[in-house]
Amino acid sequence: NYCETKPEIELSEIAYEINNCIFKISKSAILMTAFIVRIHKTNHEIEYINCSHEPLLMIDNTSDEFDFVSEPIQKRLGETEHQAYHTTK
């Protein structure tokens, strides 16, 4: 897993690179949604980028509680070249 071997890489960098690869290949003919998430094992905090994907369902396995994570919704991957994405923590 790339993120485990390079934990310092920002999710925004990952989304940026994936977006540019898709754009260069498709010239906006292919658009993709994605939900990119990192879960920190030590403190169980999450950070994510929602690239126009359906909400993520987070379930607490220690209780019966759940929540949908979706905001903020950003552009789909491949829509525009050099699109900046922002990580939500």
Side-chain angles (χ1 to χ4, degrees):
N1 180 319
Y2 185 77
C3 289
E4 287 181 1
T5 59
K6 297 242 182 214
E8 69 280 359
I9 192 166
E10 293 292 327
L11 295 184
S12 56
E13 291 178 50
I14 295 169
Y16 179 86
E17 293 299 329
I18 293 170
N19 175 72
N20 285 342
C21 288
I22 294 168
F23 183 84
K24 286 177 186 174
I25 292 168
S26 72
K27 301 295 186 221
S28 292
I30 297 173
L31 303 176
M32 298 177 74
T33 66
F35 203 103
I36 304 169
V37 63
R38 176 181 290 145
I39 301 171
H40 298 274
K41 293 178 184 178
T42 55
N43 59 12
H44 303 283
E45 290 182 356
I46 67 167
E47 53 185 294
Y48 64 90
I49 298 173
N50 184 349
C51 304
S52 291
H53 200 279
E54 296 295 320
L56 177 69
L57 177 62
M58 296 287 294
I59 301 171
D60 183 343
N61 64 358
T62 61
S63 69
D64 292 332
E65 295 181 21
F66 65 92
D67 195 10
F68 289 99
V69 179
S70 63
E71 300 297 329
I73 297 174
Q74 299 179 55
K75 287 191 174 204
R76 292 173 288 184
L77 297 168
E79 197 166 330
T80 57
E81 191 172 22
H82 305 298
Q83 173 64 41
Y85 292 89
H86 305 283
T87 303
T88 302
K89 296 182 180 188

